[in-house]
């Protein structure tokens, strides 16, 4: 969940613009990052946005996370 909604241009086949996005599903290497320990914390994520395209995608925009900073 984001502090403030953002506008996103996804980097996938669609390159669609999405507006006022307030929730993003994260994809990350679960062996490298224990995301549960950051629950309720503010973090800075770096990655690539893409549009939902399967039933496993639960938000309109997803992020493939490449880095996390606390």
């Amino acid at each position: 969940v984001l502090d403030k909604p953002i506008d996103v241009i996804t980097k996938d086949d669609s390159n669609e613009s999405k507006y006022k996005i307030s929730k993003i599903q994260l994809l990350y290497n679960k062996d490298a990052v224990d995301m549960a320990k950051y629950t309720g914390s503010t973090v800075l994520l770096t990655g690539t946005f893409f549009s939902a395209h399967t039933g496993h995608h639960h938000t309109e925009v997803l992020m493939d996370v490449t880095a996390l900073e606390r």
Side-chain angles (χ1 to χ4, degrees):
V1 176
L2 303 175
D3 289 337
K4 292 188 253 179
I6 62 171
D7 297 337
V8 174
I9 298 173
T10 58
K11 292 295 183 185
D12 53 21
D13 293 339
S14 66
N15 284 325
E16 293 180 273
S17 296
K18 308 285 185 175
Y19 301 98
K20 297 183 181 176
I21 300 299
S22 58
K23 291 177 92 174
I24 298 172
Q25 182 177 345
L26 304 175
L27 301 177
Y28 56 92
N29 181 340
K30 293 178 183 170
D31 294 330
V33 177
D34 179 11
M35 199 65 81
K37 73 180 186 180
Y38 298 104
T39 300
S41 300
T42 298
V43 296
L44 174 65
L45 300 173
T46 303
T48 304
F49 294 117
F50 63 97
S51 299
H53 58 270
T54 77
H56 297 286
H57 298 160
H58 303 290
T59 59
E60 188 176 3
V61 173
L62 295 84
M63 177 188 251
D64 187 5
V65 177
T66 57
L68 179 147
E69 294 178 46
R70 192 171 174 126

